Amino acid sequence: MTATMSDTEARAIVAGILADIAPEVDLDEIDPAGELQPQLDIDSLDFLRFVEGITKHTGLPVPEEDYRRVASLDGAVAYVSGHSVSARS
Amino acid sequence: MAEFRMPSLGADMTSGTVVEWLVKPGDEVRRGQIVAVVDTDKAAIEVEAYEEGVVTDLVVPVGATVAVGAVLARLAPLGAEVMAPPAAELALPAEPAPPAEPALAHSDGAPAVSSPLVRRLAHQLHVDLDTVPGTGPDGAIQRADVTAASGGLALGRPRVRSSPLARRRARELGVLLDSVTGTGPRGAVRVADVERASPRAPQAPTPIADPAKPQQHAATARAEATARRQAAVGELMARSKRDIPHFYLGADVDLAVASAWLHSRNRDRPPAQRVLPAALFLRAVTVAAAEVGHLNGHWVEGRFQPIDGVHLGVAVSLRDGSLVAPGIRDAQRLDLDEMMEALRDLVVRARSGRLTREQMSDPSITVTNLGDLGVDTVLPVIYPPQVAMVGFGRVADRPWAVDGMLAVRPVVSISLAADHRASDGHRAARFLQAVARRLQCPAELDPRSAP
């Protein structure tokens, strides 16, 4: 078992959560550096569910201060993979 | 034998489509148990059993649209041994005439029809009442007669299935539905089929669903539901604009205190327990609606009828682009966390097509929040028979004068559309003021945090 999470794993987690919220969106079609909210046409409640999903799958608390860091696909993937070492140790 | 009928899920509902059965013959059901999901023009709604019993048969198949009051399933008493009844019994269900609706004899000798429900059923099943022999008192036509004449819906014998849109289009184009080959789910006639059958209409470029592909069935059904819902909302809004003398007020409200308070309240909570500003807005509107009269209620039969308790409607956009406005019943009883939970439940259920019947009962005032879309100001269209609708724009940092100094504050623009028949500018202004005032004291909107 690896101590860190690869970007691939992190991306799978993030994509899995988003699939529940915006099932018809193809993540390959969106700008990974752009904000998720307008691209996926999701509202603040959907975004909260997204954050909730990250917490559920990774144990990361994702405080409101960090919302900006998980606002894009790339940001969320980096956030999840970057935090996984401390979250798992 | 007890019967489970298509419930009326709103004053203007005339028919519904069974989209899912959650029980099967042989299952025991309890009062209040969710037994089916029904799609109306407004939304897909869970419907519950009103009587307990054992399901003997499901009369209406998934995908079929029937009138309000039509039998959907039959129930035997609990403990009874369930056997499939003979087909003949199904085709001609013996139904006594409802005592509350005596047969109306027509003076011109036309067949008497027991009730408006029967006429509606006949319309729904495309049955010409002049051709139906009545078996009720004085030869009155009863529901069973109509069902039998329709070819026996219960037996599943072929009849023309069609979407409401297709029926409308058929009327427009003068096409007989019987003559059209349906390509929709279970051979249902769709708009495209009607247009193809009509010499008057140009060939529709719509791709034809392959009946062998269930995925396309689902997609077609969804698209039809979306179109139906959009048409229903459109009609309702047209009625609103036609009948309701709208007037509008707006106020910009400083949310510095509320935002900071909410942020600190959320700090040590996991995401699942965090509260969004939207929930705070709903609390403020609820308290204000209960406080200021003449905005919380319905305009019915030429007068305003106030409603005890606030049934707070929330406009929810669905991912297919349509809109529903289900409600949070007795919102005045909810504290802030409960309001957030209710909002979350409402939105998730609306988007997954599983609203509860309670959530679809007529709200007394509705809120729309378009702030997430970057909108500054909303000028809402009131949902009849309600008399007011509150709009919230986005919370944005703006230059704001505070104590003679210029500051940057998070500000939200709140608007109110009100019915001038029920209220006036004075009352509406007091309401808006009450909302603004409540948002300045967020802790008071959260009784548990109050000292």
Side-chain angles (χ1 to χ4, degrees):
Chain A
M1 196 169 139
T2 55
T4 61
M5 189 184 288
S6 72
D7 272 10
T8 316
E9 284 175 274
R11 196 190 144 91
I13 288 175
V14 170
I17 302 165
L18 290 176
D20 270 350
I21 297 167
E24 78 287 5
V25 173
D26 180 357
L27 290 182
D28 292 334
E29 300 275 299
I30 69 166
D31 171 10
E35 277 195 42
L36 288 168
Q37 223 163 320
Q39 295 193 90
L40 269 54
D41 193 16
I42 60 178
D43 59 19
S44 51
L45 194 69
D46 287 327
F47 187 74
L48 183 59
R49 286 173 63 206
F50 173 57
V51 171
E52 221 178 297
I54 296 180
T55 301
K56 191 173 143 201
H57 286 90
T58 64
L60 298 170
V62 199
E64 287 184 339
E65 289 81 358
D66 287 356
Y67 281 8
R68 270 178 44 224
R69 297 175 57 194
V70 298
S72 69
L73 187 59
D74 281 351
V77 170
Y79 190 88
V80 167
S81 64
H83 275 81
S84 59
V85 183
S86 54
R88 286 186 173 188
S89 56
Chain B
M1 184 179 285
E3 283 160 339
F4 172 62
R5 290 166 185 268
M6 176 63 77
S8 173
L9 302 162
D12 46 3
M13 173 175 166
T14 55
S15 64
T17 306
V18 176
V19 292
E20 190 178 353
W21 276 112
L22 303 172
V23 293
K24 58 184 186 309
D27 285 357
E28 288 187 3
V29 298
R30 306 279 163 187
R31 275 181 63 123
Q33 182 182 336
I34 306 298
V35 292
V37 180
V38 165
D39 205 350
T40 71
D41 284 348
K42 285 182 183 167
I45 302 166
E46 293 180 337
V47 291
E48 71 267 33
Y50 276 92
E51 291 179 70
E52 60 179 21
V54 182
V55 178
T56 56
D57 61 315
L58 305 177
V59 178
V60 175
V62 166
T65 301
V66 295
V68 167
V71 175
L72 298 178
R74 293 178 212 285
L75 306 175
L78 276 184
E81 199 165 322
V82 173
M83 286 174 59
E89 195 182 311
L90 268 180
L92 292 166
E95 289 179 42
E101 295 169 324
L104 306 167
H106 286 209
S107 53
D108 59 0
V113 173
S114 296
S115 73
L117 268 184
V118 172
R119 274 192 287 274
R120 222 151 44 197
L121 181 65
H123 175 72
Q124 197 69 40
L125 298 177
H126 310 292
V127 169
D128 182 355
L129 283 174
D130 291 341
T131 65
V132 179
T135 60
D138 299 330
I141 300 167
Q142 298 190 301
R143 300 160 45 78
D145 305 327
V146 174
T147 313
S150 78
L153 175 63
L155 280 177
R157 265 191 233 143
R159 67 179 184 91
V160 182
R161 288 171 186 286
S162 54
S163 70
L165 272 180
R167 283 199 291 279
R168 191 179 310 154
R169 194 78 181 119
R171 275 198 301 277
E172 284 166 10
L173 296 171
V175 169
L176 279 176
L177 279 175
D178 297 358
S179 64
V180 180
T181 309
T183 61
R186 304 168 70 97
V189 174
R190 301 156 60 221
V191 172
D193 304 327
V194 172
E195 289 178 343
R196 255 193 315 280
S198 165
R200 279 198 274 157
Q203 287 285 320
T206 324
I208 301 162
D210 178 349
K213 290 184 183 169
Q215 268 186 337
Q216 286 190 355
H217 285 177
T220 310
R222 268 201 305 275
E224 273 182 7
T226 302
R228 222 167 41 226
R229 237 168 260 151
Q230 281 168 338
V233 170
E235 265 168 45
L236 195 65
M237 294 298 104
R239 178 147 69 91
S240 172
K241 280 287 190 177
R242 194 173 58 234
D243 295 347
I244 300 177
H246 285 70
F247 69 100
Y248 306 92
L249 303 181
D252 289 344
V253 175
D254 176 3
L255 283 184
V257 174
S259 298
W261 178 83
L262 207 53
H263 182 61
S264 96
R265 190 180 188 276
N266 284 339
R267 183 166 296 142
D268 297 320
R269 293 169 170 236
Q273 290 172 27
R274 288 174 202 164
V275 168
L276 291 171
L280 203 61
F281 297 161
L282 295 187
R283 273 288 294 154
V285 168
T286 302
V287 174
E291 188 178 301
V292 179
H294 292 82
L295 291 167
N296 184 63
H298 294 157
W299 184 265
V300 187
E301 288 163 4
R303 67 186 187 91
F304 174 66
Q305 300 183 347
I307 287 177
D308 284 337
V310 179
H311 309 322
L312 191 63
V314 180
V316 181
S317 61
L318 306 186
R319 292 207 65 82
D320 61 13
S322 62
L323 179 73
V324 289
I328 298 169
R329 205 166 174 81
D330 287 316
Q332 80 282 359
R333 294 193 186 144
L334 307 183
D335 66 20
L336 187 56
D337 285 317
E338 289 164 343
M339 186 68 92
M340 179 65 198
E341 205 38 60
L343 172 65
R344 188 193 284 265
D345 184 60
L346 196 75
V347 172
V348 169
R349 279 176 171 276
R351 294 201 175 132
S352 60
R354 289 290 289 271
L355 286 163
T356 66
R357 190 174 170 162
E358 187 179 279
Q359 287 169 328
M360 275 319 288
S361 63
D362 283 332
S364 56
I365 185 168
T366 294
V367 173
T368 177
N369 187 343
L370 294 179
D372 289 332
L373 296 172
V375 167
D376 283 326
T377 308
V378 192
L379 296 178
V381 182
I382 299 167
Y383 276 84
Q386 296 164 49
V387 299
M389 184 152 172
V390 188
F392 286 85
R394 73 184 162 130
V395 181
D397 283 342
R398 292 192 215 167
W400 197 253
V402 185
D403 298 330
M405 301 281 284
L406 195 59
V408 173
R409 292 287 178 93
V411 174
V412 68
S413 175
I414 309 174
S415 52
L416 171 69
D419 182 340
H420 223 314
R421 298 171 302 182
S423 66
D424 52 33
H426 181 79
R427 283 206 177 88
R430 276 183 50 218
F431 171 83
L432 215 47
Q433 241 175 10
V435 175
R437 197 173 59 239
R438 296 290 171 179
L439 287 173
Q440 297 315 307
C441 310
E444 287 175 17
L445 293 173
D446 184 23
R448 285 187 197 173
S449 77

